[in-house]
Amino acid sequence: DVRHRCCVAYAVQVETLSGRPVSALPGPNSCPRNTEMTFVEQKSILTIALYAAFADGAKDERERQEIRRIADALAEQSERPDLSTLYQDVLLRRVSLEAACAQLSESATRQLAYELAVCVCDADGQHGDPETRFLEQLKSLLKLDAAQTDVFERDERAIVVSSEAAI
């Protein structure tokens, strides 16, 4: 399913960031933990994911579940960003999308943030126009080029369409 595909994308990114192979692909309800990612990077990625969830103006439980899953997957066992505080920061605009993106200096981390944002947007089905505009803005803020994102977007879209057709 879509969540599993996003989790697999996450596993590949963890391998890229840490330089260590991921021994087995995760199951649909689990993801490897990345001990190499800093707390600031985790907060930034979660902030971006929250902006992705709010991009369409709808409140959907599937998007909230996806964010919780991402938070669990990103967190080290001893330190996890406080989701309720991050929700408030995003809702009250105490942190901007631009500031969150600026905290991500590594190309692989920026790509991961983008791919997880796509997963959040697609958690409730295919993303619509507001989410598409958000993802275009995010791609620009993260300084990602089309070559970095086209393959993922095409594969993700195919998975979402086939998942919806199976329902």
Side-chain angles (χ1 to χ4, degrees), residues 10-20 34 36-37 41 45 106-110 112:
Y10 175 75
V12 170
Q13 291 293 339
V14 167
E15 182 174 336
T16 302
L17 288 169
S18 69
R20 293 188 308 261
N34 180 3
E36 302 294 320
M37 194 173 294
E41 290 170 326
I45 288 173
E106 298 293 322
S107 175
T109 308
R110 292 192 312 269
L112 173 62

Side-chain angles (χ1 to χ4, degrees), residues 6-150:
C6 291
C7 199
V8 170
Y10 175 75
V12 170
Q13 291 293 339
V14 167
E15 182 174 336
T16 302
L17 288 169
S18 69
R20 293 188 308 261
V22 176
S23 59
L25 291 178
N29 295 317
S30 65
C31 285
R33 297 195 187 278
N34 180 3
T35 58
E36 302 294 320
M37 194 173 294
T38 69
F39 185 76
V40 170
E41 290 170 326
Q42 290 176 25
K43 276 182 66 173
S44 295
I45 288 173
L46 287 169
T47 298
I48 292 167
L50 286 165
Y51 270 101
F54 298 139
D56 62 2
K59 295 180 181 180
D60 192 287
E61 182 57 30
R62 293 170 291 184
E63 290 176 337
R64 286 191 286 270
Q65 288 173 348
E66 182 69 8
I67 290 169
R68 283 190 294 271
R69 189 194 59 74
I70 291 168
D72 290 341
L74 291 175
E76 295 179 12
Q77 291 182 3
S78 62
E79 188 174 34
R80 173 185 172 179
D82 180 23
L83 273 179
S84 61
T85 300
L86 288 176
Y87 269 109
Q88 291 174 12
D89 289 347
V90 170
L91 284 172
L92 299 174
R93 305 281 188 208
R94 293 188 289 223
V95 62
S96 68
L97 181 61
E98 293 80 2
C101 291
Q103 294 293 322
L104 304 175
S105 60
E106 298 293 322
S107 175
T109 308
R110 292 192 312 269
Q111 181 72 27
L112 173 62
Y114 179 78
E115 290 182 8
L116 293 175
V118 171
C119 292
V120 170
C121 288
D122 287 347
D124 59 351
Q126 294 186 55
H127 53 265
D129 290 340
E131 290 166 317
T132 299
R133 285 190 298 276
F134 166 79
L135 292 171
E136 288 300 317
Q137 176 190 16
L138 181 61
K139 195 183 310 185
S140 173
L141 289 171
L142 291 171
K143 298 175 178 60
L144 300 173
D145 60 33
Q148 290 176 284
T149 58
D150 284 351

